[in-house]
Amino acid sequence: MNRCSSLLALSLALAFPSALAGSLTVTQSYALNNGVAQDAAWFRDGKRVAIAVENTVVIADPAGKALSTLRGPTEPVTRLSVSPDGTLVAGRSDGVLYVWRVAGGAIVRRWPPVGDTKSFPVVRGAFRADNSLLLLQDDQDAPLLVLNPATGATTQLAEYGPEDLITSADGKTALVVDYGKAFITDTATFKKKGPSATYTKIGNAALSPDGTVGAISGDSGKVQILSASAPARTLTTSLKVPGIAFLNSANLLLMEGGSLEQLAVATGNKVGSVLKSPLEEDRLIVSASGVAIGLSSNFPPSVLAVTQPAGSKILGFPASKVQSVGLTGTQPTALQYNAGTVLGSAAANNRPLETGDAAVPILASAAGVTLALIDAEDGYEVGLMQGSKLVSGPALTDFEDDLQLFQISSDGKFLLTHDGYTLAVTDLARNTTSVHSAEDLDFGDDLFDLVAVSADGKEIALVTYDGYALRVNAQTDEITTEAQLPEGAEANLLDLAPDGTIALGLRRDDEAEVWLFKKNATTPFKQLKFSGWVDDLRFSPSGKELALNVSGAYSGIIVLDPSSGTELARSVPLSLYDGGLTWNAGGTQLLVGRGVNGKVASVTLLNFKR
């Protein structure tokens, strides 16, 4: 095959007009109450707990009832720390440390400050006894700083910061993880207290509430115990790399995949038998009074009874993040953690999408049509949304390898699936499928990556793994146009309008770009640049509008006129989460898997008027 040698030329960035022709307004925000938590930290008195739920921090009582919510970041919050006097909470989000005042929920400090380009991203902020914060930066050669959250002033405590550290409830002691060794230290002077433990791989670390005993896990089945008064000891556990937490200085809890084991710190003996929780928690955060919050990557947080983990209580906090969304007529649907939810006007009106025991890894939606990929016991199947139910959809082509694409054309007429080697184009109205292979298209060793199809099904646009952008006659498999992407340009989004216009999203030089191609052209007539990411792009069913899901200096939805690249409308700012984008059949509404800034919402419905 003769490879075209021409490179795609670079053009000027889009200059956004000051007055937009159209409007894009929020019609409805939908909430889900099954947010997964990344971290938790108990207040010293055990009467409250801070739980990082996606991009918020929920303050809850010991039973898990939400008392208040701290907001501010747009990315997930991790590495929580509560001040010894209970007035402040600190958490890391996207390399930035946020410090909230618990009373009122105001952000009292952001570090590095806005506009600071010299400081390193933050790894963790951990409170000391005086409410100052030990500040770890994401560089092995960066110093360990002390931050005064009231003034923003920093001082250097050590020339080099450790890999990680955890402070005790009173803030006077820290367990330090320091690139191959772990030890206990005084937080005021950063002087080491007692012997070190060495490790080759660190998995998890914990410090007893009184700060006298520490533990680290990492090497399979081994947990090391540290103290200021004795050499490190190794305990053996039946778990591989468990999450660890101290029930008290005498008893250590280990949790992995829902299996809970308790060891006596002094002897290493098991206390009782290994217990099991159905929620598959991998981490525990335990209060001084023995109440445990369980965390899992696949389930909402739980309140876990140590003596009976099977009775774990799921905590339902509002969630912002969804995997994908679907709009079937006027009915919105969201997918979260492989489970579908038919959305109502309020979270109490949400209904589960009925799929039996099968998981749903993805929804594909366009022009008011929604399909679900169902991971059933005997393989993948396709379900078609009708109202609020799934009915049997078109047969799925039997691929040799794992499915890599499940997408509906922007006009809602075709289902596109491929495994890299074989592409199937299914006409949803006729329930017929045409199959195209990389071998038939003379790709050589190249593979399918991004694919789109025209409204009449006669033309396929695709980008291969090796970076070739092609138009293909779907009836003859003849390649009609071909161009190679420039070196360093990585394509990640593709759509094709009814008039043959192609929209291609890519990353180059750490910037997001959208290229627009006229029919049969091999060079773009517009190249639009964005400061952050373009997470999704979709033509309206008519192809007269192109919606972009962007994040960066501005985060939200932008609608363009694809014939000129002119911006028609943009939404109010939305959170940074990427959760899918789809039009209704009339091209008057957009459903996006993002929450509205300032509100905890999972999905937003927007009205578009040109």
Side-chain angles (χ1 to χ4, degrees):
M1 175 177 170
N2 245 347
R3 294 293 192 190
C4 181
S5 60
S6 64
L7 296 181
L8 302 176
L10 183 65
S11 64
L12 296 176
L14 173 66
F16 292 123
S18 56
L20 303 181
S23 63
L24 196 57
T25 55
V26 173
T27 300
Q28 177 73 51
S29 292
Y30 303 94
L32 290 168
N33 280 337
N34 56 346
V36 169
Q38 301 83 236
D39 199 8
W42 282 95
F43 286 70
R44 187 178 179 184
D45 60 8
K47 295 181 179 179
R48 289 171 296 170
V49 61
I51 307 175
V53 182
E54 297 179 2
N55 61 332
T56 67
V57 179
V58 176
I59 307 299
D61 67 14
K65 179 183 177 181
L67 304 174
S68 62
T69 301
L70 311 179
R71 298 186 175 93
T74 51
E75 288 294 291
V77 179
T78 59
R79 300 300 186 91
L80 291 183
S81 183
V82 177
S83 64
D85 66 1
T87 62
L88 301 174
V89 171
R92 172 186 181 270
S93 178
D94 197 27
V96 175
L97 182 73
Y98 291 84
V99 183
W100 289 269
R101 183 177 292 110
V102 175
I107 295 175
V108 298
R109 187 61 52 198
R110 180 189 189 276
W111 203 93
V114 176
D116 183 344
T117 59
K118 296 182 180 180
S119 299
F120 297 106
V122 174
V123 173
R124 182 195 289 274
F127 279 105
R128 301 197 302 177
D130 60 356
N131 278 11
S132 65
L133 284 150
L134 294 176
L135 201 62
L136 295 183
Q137 301 177 82
D138 191 13
D139 190 279
Q140 193 167 349
D141 295 328
L144 175 63
L145 300 178
V146 177
L147 170 68
N148 183 328
T151 65
T154 59
T155 56
Q156 182 173 310
L157 184 61
E159 185 177 1
Y160 300 107
E163 184 179 0
D164 203 357
L165 57 79
I166 305 167
T167 50
S168 58
D170 61 8
K172 295 180 179 180
T173 307
L175 173 65
V176 175
V177 177
D178 191 27
Y179 301 102
K181 60 182 178 179
F183 53 87
I184 292 175
T185 185
D186 178 273
T187 58
T189 63
F190 204 61
K191 290 184 177 179
K192 181 179 171 184
K193 299 167 66 175
S196 298
T198 60
Y199 62 87
T200 55
K201 180 181 179 182
I202 186 71
N204 295 292
L207 184 63
S208 64
D210 61 6
T212 60
V213 187
I216 59 171
S217 69
D219 296 330
S220 183
K222 306 293 184 184
V223 175
Q224 293 190 71
I225 302 295
L226 306 93
S227 73
S229 58
R233 296 180 294 112
T234 299
L235 307 184
T236 301
T237 169
S238 62
L239 306 179
K240 192 174 181 181
V241 186
I244 50 180
F246 283 92
L247 184 61
N248 48 53
S249 59
N251 291 278
L252 182 67
L253 299 176
L254 303 94
M255 191 66 149
E256 186 174 55
S259 294
L260 176 66
E261 185 172 298
Q262 186 175 167
L263 299 180
V265 172
T267 63
N269 295 334
K270 289 183 183 178
V271 178
S273 58
V274 176
L275 304 173
K276 185 71 175 179
S277 166
L279 302 183
E280 301 180 4
E281 297 97 336
D282 288 309
R283 293 175 57 206
L284 293 176
I285 291 85
V286 185
S287 71
S289 58
V291 179
I293 298 294
L295 303 179
S296 165
S297 59
N298 297 315
F299 293 96
S302 64
V303 173
L304 185 146
V306 173
T307 57
Q308 192 179 7
S312 299
K313 174 188 174 184
I314 293 179
L315 305 182
F317 299 122
S320 296
K321 192 172 186 179
V322 298
Q323 289 165 251
S324 53
V325 294
L327 194 58
T328 308
T330 60
Q331 178 61 65
T333 305
L335 195 66
Q336 190 178 47
Y337 315 116
N338 293 348
T341 300
V342 180
L343 300 171
S345 57
N349 299 326
N350 292 342
R351 306 187 305 281
L353 185 64
E354 296 180 11
T355 59
D357 295 330
V360 180
I362 191 169
L363 294 177
S365 183
V369 178
T370 301
L371 295 177
L373 181 65
I374 303 170
D375 189 0
E377 287 185 4
D378 54 351
Y380 287 114
E381 300 173 1
V382 178
L384 174 65
M385 284 287 297
Q386 287 188 354
S388 60
K389 297 181 179 179
L390 274 181
V391 299
S392 181
L396 192 63
T397 300
D398 187 15
F399 295 110
E400 294 183 3
D401 292 282
D402 291 338
L403 191 66
Q404 296 183 22
L405 179 75
F406 186 80
Q407 180 177 304
I408 298 181
S409 59
S410 59
D411 55 13
K413 294 181 179 179
F414 298 94
L415 171 64
L416 301 169
T417 53
H418 78 67
D419 65 351
Y421 298 89
T422 304
L423 166 67
V425 181
T426 301
D427 187 318
L428 296 176
R430 296 182 174 88
N431 198 17
T432 58
T433 300
S434 62
V435 178
H436 311 266
S437 71
E439 183 177 353
D440 292 340
L441 295 173
D442 196 17
F443 280 4
D445 294 329
D446 209 349
L447 301 174
F448 290 107
D449 189 5
L450 308 174
V451 182
V453 66
S454 62
D456 58 10
K458 294 182 179 180
E459 183 179 66
I460 296 169
L462 63 92
V463 177
T464 71
Y465 274 103
D466 287 346
Y468 286 91
L470 311 172
R471 291 178 188 262
V472 176
N473 185 314
Q475 296 173 316
T476 65
D477 282 348
E478 176 188 0
I479 296 174
T480 56
T481 65
E482 177 184 5
Q484 186 177 9
L485 300 180
E487 186 176 352
E490 181 180 356
N492 58 352
L493 299 166
L494 177 70
D495 206 2
L496 179 60
D499 67 357
T501 300
I502 286 177
L504 180 67
L506 50 83
R507 296 286 297 177
R508 181 165 62 163
D509 298 329
D510 293 326
E511 282 190 316
E513 299 185 22
V514 174
W515 295 359
L516 298 174
F517 298 80
K518 295 293 189 184
K519 186 174 178 61
N520 296 327
T522 57
T523 56
F525 75 92
K526 276 289 183 181
Q527 290 178 254
L528 316 177
K529 293 186 178 181
F530 301 89
S531 61
W533 294 85
V534 177
D535 297 310
D536 209 345
L537 57 80
R538 295 296 280 172
F539 282 108
S540 63
S542 68
K544 295 180 180 179
E545 295 85 22
L546 176 66
L548 309 178
N549 185 341
V550 304
S551 59
Y554 158 80
S555 297
I557 305 301
I558 294 173
V559 178
L560 307 175
D561 181 340
S563 66
S564 63
T566 303
E567 183 178 343
L568 299 174
R570 62 171 58 189
S571 72
V572 297
L574 302 173
S575 75
L576 289 179
Y577 292 128
D578 166 30
L581 178 69
T582 185
W583 290 88
N584 69 342
T588 58
Q589 290 187 318
L590 279 160
L591 189 72
V592 58
R594 289 186 174 196
V596 178
N597 275 352
K599 297 180 181 179
V600 179
S602 307
V603 177
T604 303
L605 182 66
L606 301 161
N607 268 355
F608 170 69
K609 185 177 180 181
R610 183 152 184 157

